[in-house]
């Protein structure tokens, strides 16, 4: 059986750890691609960006000044967060309140960088992310901005999913259902990337990280290419 491409749903490396770490800039398609890769390989899935959005929501809801690093760090430690780790359901809740849709609001998108660049808060959320990975016996697709270099630098597969600025703006616009203006999209994609890149490098692949440029690929082609990378790395095909 060739492993060049996995079938519709395949258990990869059964009984063994398989962490697939995927980083990338906004609008690169990493969430949708990562989720589909996890579904096909029957792995858990973690959207770390949703955790930063949830913390942003929590800070705004509780009146925490996003410019007060110590206050944001403290909020990250006390935030009662629930987040789904299955591809079947997207669910994010804080203290029992479902905020799955709210964290995609433009206000959260425009504010999340202030939280994401607070190093103390990053440290706490990284701790939580590693805890979730361990709870799933290190069988998970984890996507974000510092996964391949900080969260799980020893992941079995490490990938940087990128795309041209034009492609990223177009995809984010479609993802948000055409509700954002061109200026809002640029603020969410380009400006946020510029801010976040001050604390983590997610635009260039570190040593050992495979780059997947999806600028000229559709969704299925990107997923197939990602699966081919996984196959090559873990099986040597």
């Amino acid at each position: 059986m060739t492993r060049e491409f996995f079938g519709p749903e395949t258990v990869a490396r059964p009984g063994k750890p398989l962490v697939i770490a995927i980083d990338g800039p906004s609008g690169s398609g990493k969430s949708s691609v990562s989720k589909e890769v996890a579904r096909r390989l029957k792995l858990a899935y973690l959207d770390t960006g949703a955790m930063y959005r949830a913390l942003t929501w929590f800070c705004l809801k509780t009146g925490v000044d996003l410019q007060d690093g110590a206050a944001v760090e403290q909020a990250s430690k006390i935030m009662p967060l629930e987040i789904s780790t299955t591809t079947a359901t997207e669910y994010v809740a804080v203290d029992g309140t479902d905020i799955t849709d709210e964290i995609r609001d433009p206000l959260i998108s425009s504010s999340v960088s202030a939280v994401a660049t607070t190093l103390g808060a990053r440290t706490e959320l990284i701790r939580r992310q590693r805890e979730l990975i361990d709870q799933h016996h290190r069988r998970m697709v984890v996507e974000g901005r510092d996964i391949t270099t900080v969260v799980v630098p020893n992941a079995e597969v490490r990938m940087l999913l990128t795309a041209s600025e034009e492609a990223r703006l177009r995809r984010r616009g479609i993802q948000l259902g055409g509700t954002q203006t061109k200026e809002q999209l640029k603020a969410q994609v380009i400006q946020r990337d510029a801010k976040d890149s001050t604390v983590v490098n997610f635009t260039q692949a570190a040593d050992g990280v495979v780059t997947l440029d999806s600028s000229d690929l559709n969704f299925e082609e990107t997923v197939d290419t990602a699966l081919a990378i996984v196959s090559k790395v873990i099986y040597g095909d």
Side-chain angles (χ1 to χ4, degrees), residues 33-92:
V33 170
S34 297
K35 184 180 291 186
E36 181 62 12
V37 167
R39 187 187 72 80
R40 294 195 191 182
L41 300 183
K42 295 187 176 181
L43 298 172
Y45 163 73
L46 180 61
D47 175 1
T48 64
M51 298 175 73
Y52 287 97
R53 287 174 174 270
L55 177 56
T56 303
W57 180 91
F58 182 61
C59 287
L60 293 174
K61 188 72 173 180
T62 55
V64 171
D65 182 356
L66 299 185
Q67 305 306 314
D68 184 340
V72 172
E73 178 180 353
Q74 178 61 19
S76 73
K77 293 178 178 178
I78 65 173
M79 174 179 62
L81 175 68
E82 295 176 68
I83 185 168
S84 62
T85 53
T86 172
T87 59
T89 305
E90 183 179 0
Y91 179 72
V92 183

Side-chain angles (χ1 to χ4, degrees), residues 45 47 54 80 102 143 151 186 200 230:
Y45 163 73
D47 175 1
E102 289 186 60
E143 56 102 344
V151 180
K186 284 191 173 183
V200 61
V230 173

Side-chain angles (χ1 to χ4, degrees), residues 12-237:
R13 283 171 58 94
K16 297 179 180 180
L18 177 55
V19 177
I20 300 174
I22 301 180
D23 286 330
S26 301
S28 60
K30 63 182 182 293
S31 293
S32 55
V33 170
S34 297
K35 184 180 291 186
E36 181 62 12
V37 167
R39 187 187 72 80
R40 294 195 191 182
L41 300 183
K42 295 187 176 181
L43 298 172
Y45 163 73
L46 180 61
D47 175 1
T48 64
M51 298 175 73
Y52 287 97
R53 287 174 174 270
L55 177 56
T56 303
W57 180 91
F58 182 61
C59 287
L60 293 174
K61 188 72 173 180
T62 55
V64 171
D65 182 356
L66 299 185
Q67 305 306 314
D68 184 340
V72 172
E73 178 180 353
Q74 178 61 19
S76 73
K77 293 178 178 178
I78 65 173
M79 174 179 62
L81 175 68
E82 295 176 68
I83 185 168
S84 62
T85 53
T86 172
T87 59
T89 305
E90 183 179 0
Y91 179 72
V92 183
V94 170
D95 200 18
T97 299
D98 186 343
I99 59 171
T100 308
D101 294 329
E102 289 186 60
I103 62 172
R104 305 299 173 183
D105 186 88
L107 175 60
I108 301 298
S109 296
S110 62
S111 305
V112 67
S113 281
V115 168
T117 53
T118 300
L119 297 182
R122 290 195 76 87
T123 298
E124 170 59 19
L125 292 188
I126 288 168
R127 184 196 66 78
R128 294 192 187 207
Q129 291 156 18
R130 289 172 175 165
E131 188 174 74
L132 284 168
I133 293 168
D134 288 340
Q135 286 174 5
H136 287 276
H137 309 290
R138 292 185 61 84
R139 291 187 57 81
M140 177 179 273
V141 177
V142 190
E143 56 102 344
R145 294 174 182 271
D146 60 354
I147 313 304
T148 65
T149 56
V150 178
V151 180
V152 273
N154 60 341
E156 283 71 25
V157 181
R158 298 189 297 155
M159 199 180 311
L160 176 68
L161 179 58
T162 188
S164 67
E165 180 178 311
E166 179 185 4
R168 292 189 289 121
L169 287 171
R170 182 181 68 251
R171 290 169 185 169
R172 181 51 60 88
I174 293 172
Q175 180 186 24
L176 296 174
T179 59
Q180 309 298 297
T181 65
K182 184 180 293 186
E183 289 71 25
Q184 286 175 318
L185 284 174
K186 284 191 173 183
Q188 289 189 34
V189 176
I190 309 304
Q191 292 178 28
R192 182 190 168 192
D193 283 350
K195 291 177 182 177
D196 289 2
S197 64
T198 62
V199 294
V200 61
N201 182 9
F202 51 86
T203 59
Q204 293 182 327
D207 289 345
V209 177
V210 181
T211 298
L212 197 176
D213 189 334
S214 66
S215 300
D216 299 319
L217 303 177
N218 62 30
F219 176 71
E220 283 298 328
E221 291 170 337
T222 305
V223 171
D224 283 345
T225 304
L227 288 170
I229 291 171
V230 173
S231 179
K232 184 173 183 179
V233 170
I234 66 176
Y235 294 121
D237 291 348

